Amino acid sequence: MTTAAQTIEAAAPPPSATVPAPAPVRRPGPPPRPRPLAVLVATGTSTAALLLLVALGTVLHHPLLIPPLAASMALVAASPDLPLSQPRSVIGGQLLSALAGFAVVAVAGPGLWSAAVAGGLALGAMMLARAPHSPAAATAVIVALGSPPFWTFTGLLTASCALLVAAGWLMARATRRAYPVYWI
């Protein structure tokens, strides 16, 4: 006859079968310090590309493109491996966001309320197209606030985005990094 104490002893794991302690949780830290050459090349190339964009924007009377494009350039230069930095996202995200801005202006007219809606719609459009690029939401806002001429603005935006991608490609060659990681 088995007693209750014998049943409990039989069900208990042997002392050698202890459960290991969970591994400590590793929290991410800051990115590694970049090589000095990489910093120099990224800074110089980014500055040159943005100066070209200022010149182009000034000639075509669209200097407001600089804020979102400067943020795009920062992503391409500092984090070329991120999906947000790939040509699909830089070019596609910027153009989709501009289209969202123009669509909102066509329906509701320019203004602050339209800008808020355009920024939100731009995010949705970029997510659906798998072309996320956070600086591009600012482009939608710029379009909805200023209602620029469609063809002039989208032509300038396309050329500017191509210039940023080309600058990223040149930086990658100079620093022996891979950019782009993918095109489409």
Side-chain angles (χ1 to χ4, degrees):
M1 183 177 223
T2 307
T3 65
Q6 290 173 332
T7 305
I8 291 174
E9 285 177 22
S16 63
T18 59
V19 177
V25 176
R26 288 202 172 122
R27 296 177 194 247
R33 188 174 308 281
R35 297 182 321 236
L37 177 63
V39 173
L40 183 64
V41 170
T43 303
T45 308
S46 296
T47 303
L50 292 172
L51 286 170
L52 280 172
L53 292 181
V54 168
L56 189 59
T58 302
V59 168
L60 296 175
H61 307 292
H62 288 291
L64 282 178
L65 267 177
I66 288 304
L69 293 176
S72 295
M73 189 70 234
L75 282 172
V76 170
S79 303
D81 300 333
L82 289 179
L84 294 168
S85 303
Q86 302 311 307
R88 174 191 183 102
S89 293
V90 174
I91 298 169
Q94 287 285 1
L95 290 175
L96 283 170
S97 294
L99 292 176
F102 282 115
V104 170
V105 167
V107 172
L112 288 174
W113 296 100
S114 294
V117 171
L121 290 178
L123 172 64
M126 288 185 287
M127 289 175 69
L128 286 173
R130 297 179 313 139
H133 190 67
S134 51
T139 300
V141 169
I142 288 169
V143 169
L145 285 174
S147 188
F150 179 84
W151 292 111
T152 305
F153 188 87
T154 54
L156 175 60
L157 182 62
T158 303
S160 298
C161 291
L163 177 69
L164 297 183
V165 169
W169 183 82
L170 288 171
M171 278 187 294
R173 296 309 162 267
T175 58
R176 297 189 177 153
R177 292 185 76 172
Y179 181 82
V181 176
Y182 60 87
W183 283 94
I184 55 173

